[in-house]
Amino acid sequence: MLCIPGQPGKDLCDKHLGVTRRDILRVGGSGILGMSLAGMLRTQAVQAATPAPGSGPGWGKAKSVIMIYLQGGPSHLDLWDPKENVPENVKSIFKTEKSKVPGMDLTELLPNLGKVTDKLSLIRSMSYTPVGLFNHTAAIYQIHTGYTADKVSPSGQLEPPSPKDFPTFGSNIVRLKPPETPMLPFVMMPRPLQESNVVNKAGTAGFLGRAFDPYYLFPPGDDMDMSKMEKIRVDDLTLRPEVSEARLDRRARLRDLVNQGMPEIDKAVAKYDLDKYYDSALNLIMSGKAREAFAIGSEKDALREKYGKNTFGQCCLLARRLVEAGTRVVEVIWPKVANSDNHSWDVHVGLPDRMKKQAAPMLDAGLSSLIEDLDQRGLLDETLVVALGEFGRSPQRGVSTSGNGNSADGRDHWPYCYTAVVAGAGIKRGAVYGESDKTASAPVANPVHPIELLATIYHAVGINPQTIVYNHLNQPRELVKAEPVTKLFG
């Protein structure tokens, strides 16, 4: 039976929204099998604007981007910008250790990352002054979209995600630079961006429409379940038993016969290159490329152990497999709600145990293994890796900077100075960009605003950061109102 899809977004209040992810990737017994995905691919190409030509160091070096998003705000003083000869309530309780590169000292919490500092750059001058309350969600929204949010409630929380939101950076990238192979364009895992009850703000395509949303790989299980990635289900990309590959082939041949018998219609729609997009949809489903990429169980146990047998570590491993298979953008979100306990980076209380025993070991193993693995496979030259949170933590322990209560060993929010890790795609190796003052309170050289780092990501993939997009009101807006930091590139 031939089924014609209805109005996109028909199951939503807003009819202008695109099809949902499940509509896009549905593989089942319907007669229109694969056409929703073909429609998405066609939509991407038809809508994509050609970015203005760029130039300068790093332009277009990145075929893929891996964002390691450390929601919660990791303490820069206790990880990658330790200070000596400072007051006791400023100095990290963790020892400073020399890394492989002089001048790139880290704390004892990151021994493995210290061994690969010759492959990355540290930006120790990330900085911005927040507008109003500097809560997690507002800061998350800024680094992902390049814009500040319109509404902040008295509690500091934002309104839920809306089709009026600015798109997350990955959606902009895959719209303007679709993958060159039949592969999922943009994957987000293993949980949504979240502060309290505000879930996935800045994690959608916003006004671009649902067709450009990420593929959300959110396995079941709570945030403390370290084996979540063993529960991956990619049913949307699996042929159901009643739909064989031979059946798909027959449908493709039938389409060809219909086209041959309808030359006038074929001529009328030739400019849309329907065969190309239908074939891309069938190729993604039939090739099994995406399913194979998700099969992290095929990796050697020793490598999986090196990344860390936990949610974060296995996500980092999967990120490498996805970009290797052709995915354009992967975002690994720290697997804990931004403002929460245990291994969250929001260390208002219990910093010593939470960082040393929970969060830091996972970060150290996963991030260092990802960078080293990409480099050994020759993928780091064309993959941009960015790791950062929405802000750092207060230089002084036990003080309140955001209205939150803090124990004597805790640190509060601090957007005025923090650190980001960048690697690959022409980024200088073994380098420090920018400098913080003696207490890591403020930059003293080369401050980098988060939206400038976002502009650098666009620049690296060959997209002019000032490329114009049109919002839900058809108003022109730049991808981001900032210039890239080209001095990061060698």
Side-chain angles (χ1 to χ4, degrees):
M1 180 178 69
L2 184 66
C3 299
I4 306 298
Q7 169 70 34
K10 63 184 182 299
D11 56 336
L12 303 170
C13 296
D14 299 293
K15 293 185 178 181
H16 67 280
L17 294 179
V19 290
T20 65
R21 178 180 66 83
R22 185 159 297 278
D23 289 333
I24 293 167
L25 296 175
R26 180 176 293 126
V27 177
S30 68
I32 200 68
L33 178 63
M35 285 300 290
S36 57
L37 178 58
M40 179 195 73
L41 296 168
R42 182 170 62 253
T43 299
Q44 287 180 341
V46 171
Q47 292 184 351
T50 302
S55 60
W59 171 260
K61 292 287 187 180
K63 290 185 179 180
S64 300
V65 176
I66 298 176
M67 170 72 86
I68 305 296
Y69 193 68
L70 307 175
Q71 66 174 2
S75 172
H76 53 300
L77 282 147
D78 296 299
L79 292 174
W80 27 50
D81 193 10
K83 299 295 182 180
E84 300 294 332
N85 303 315
V86 292
E88 283 302 310
N89 68 339
V90 173
K91 186 178 180 179
S92 175
I93 63 171
F94 306 113
K95 296 178 182 177
T96 298
E97 299 284 353
K98 300 292 184 182
S99 80
K100 193 171 184 178
V101 178
M104 298 183 74
D105 297 348
L106 309 175
T107 72
E108 62 181 311
L109 297 182
L110 302 174
N112 294 300
L113 195 67
K115 296 174 184 176
V116 297
T117 50
D118 60 328
K119 306 179 192 303
L120 57 84
S121 281
L122 294 173
I123 306 175
R124 284 176 167 162
S125 55
M126 297 297 300
S127 177
Y128 67 96
T129 300
V131 178
L133 297 171
F134 49 101
N135 63 76
H136 296 278
T137 322
I140 289 169
Y141 191 85
Q142 177 180 247
I143 185 57
H144 281 80
T145 70
Y147 286 82
T148 55
D150 294 329
K151 295 182 180 180
V152 181
S153 75
S155 67
Q157 304 303 310
L158 298 179
E159 62 182 355
S162 162
K164 301 175 184 178
D165 286 343
F166 279 89
T168 192
F169 75 96
S171 296
N172 281 324
I173 290 173
V174 299
R175 173 180 172 267
L176 295 167
K177 288 273 188 177
E180 298 171 359
T181 59
M183 186 56 187
L184 296 171
F186 178 16
V187 176
M188 182 180 285
M189 59 182 169
R191 67 158 355 273
L193 297 161
Q194 183 176 352
E195 177 187 12
S196 297
N197 294 322
V198 181
V199 182
N200 215 27
K201 188 75 171 180
T204 75
F207 59 66
L208 291 183
R210 292 288 179 85
F212 297 99
D213 272 348
Y215 180 91
Y216 298 117
L217 186 67
F218 299 158
D222 64 31
D223 289 351
M224 294 302 290
D225 182 353
M226 295 292 107
S227 61
K228 285 178 68 171
M229 300 309 289
E230 306 297 332
K231 304 172 185 176
I232 291 175
R233 294 290 181 269
V234 284
D235 295 338
D236 288 336
L237 298 173
T238 303
L239 290 175
R240 295 183 181 177
E242 68 270 20
V243 184
S244 65
E245 291 191 17
R247 188 173 173 185
L248 280 178
D249 284 333
R250 288 197 299 272
R251 288 177 179 174
R253 289 198 298 273
L254 177 60
R255 174 211 55 189
D256 293 339
L257 289 172
V258 170
N259 284 344
Q260 291 172 16
M262 303 174 71
E264 293 305 316
I265 292 178
D266 192 52
K267 181 179 178 181
V269 301
K271 67 177 181 178
Y272 297 109
D273 203 4
L274 298 183
D275 283 347
K276 172 184 174 183
Y277 299 107
Y278 191 94
D279 288 342
S280 294
L282 288 180
N283 288 342
L284 174 59
I285 296 164
M286 294 177 64
S287 70
K289 196 170 186 180
R291 297 195 302 276
E292 290 170 5
F294 284 120
I296 56 176
S298 64
E299 294 283 351
K300 293 181 179 178
D301 286 342
L303 185 62
R304 295 191 68 185
E305 290 285 353
K306 186 176 181 180
Y307 271 89
K309 277 291 192 76
N310 53 67
T311 303
F312 178 74
Q314 298 305 292
C315 281
C316 288
L317 175 56
L318 182 52
R320 187 223 83 203
R321 292 177 60 85
L322 287 168
V323 299
E324 197 170 28
T327 293
R328 181 75 75 191
V329 181
V330 180
E331 179 163 14
V332 176
I333 297 168
W334 189 254
K336 195 75 171 71
V337 176
N339 59 329
S340 58
D341 56 6
N342 287 303
H343 60 254
S344 163
W345 294 109
D346 198 30
V347 287
H348 294 282
V349 298
L351 181 153
D353 279 351
R354 287 171 58 185
M355 290 194 69
K356 186 172 185 177
K357 297 178 181 179
Q358 294 180 312
M362 291 189 290
L363 172 64
D364 184 46
L367 181 57
S368 63
S369 296
L370 173 63
I371 292 172
E372 185 177 24
D373 199 5
L374 287 170
D375 194 41
Q376 290 178 348
R377 293 169 182 269
L379 295 171
L380 193 58
D381 288 341
E382 57 189 32
T383 304
L384 179 66
V385 179
V386 180
L388 83 166
E390 54 267 31
F391 37 60
R393 310 304 294 190
S394 60
Q396 294 186 51
R397 294 191 299 274
V399 301
S400 178
T401 60
S402 65
N404 288 289
N406 297 270
S407 62
D409 62 5
R411 296 188 192 267
D412 209 335
H413 305 175
W414 194 261
Y416 309 106
C417 188
Y418 58 110
T419 299
V421 176
V422 289
I427 293 290
K428 291 178 182 177
R429 293 177 174 232
V432 175
Y433 185 85
E435 181 184 352
S436 61
D437 63 15
K438 64 180 182 180
T439 60
S441 300
V444 293
N446 300 320
V448 177
H449 194 284
I451 68 172
E452 292 177 312
L453 182 56
L454 190 57
T456 305
I457 294 173
Y458 288 129
H459 175 88
V461 296
I463 296 174
N464 187 334
Q466 270 96 53
T467 297
I468 297 298
V469 293
Y470 289 85
N471 68 9
H472 62 292
L473 298 177
N474 205 33
Q475 298 167 325
R477 295 289 185 268
E478 297 93 337
L479 290 180
V480 58
K481 297 179 181 179
E483 296 292 333
V485 186
T486 56
K487 290 184 178 179
L488 287 168
F489 298 95

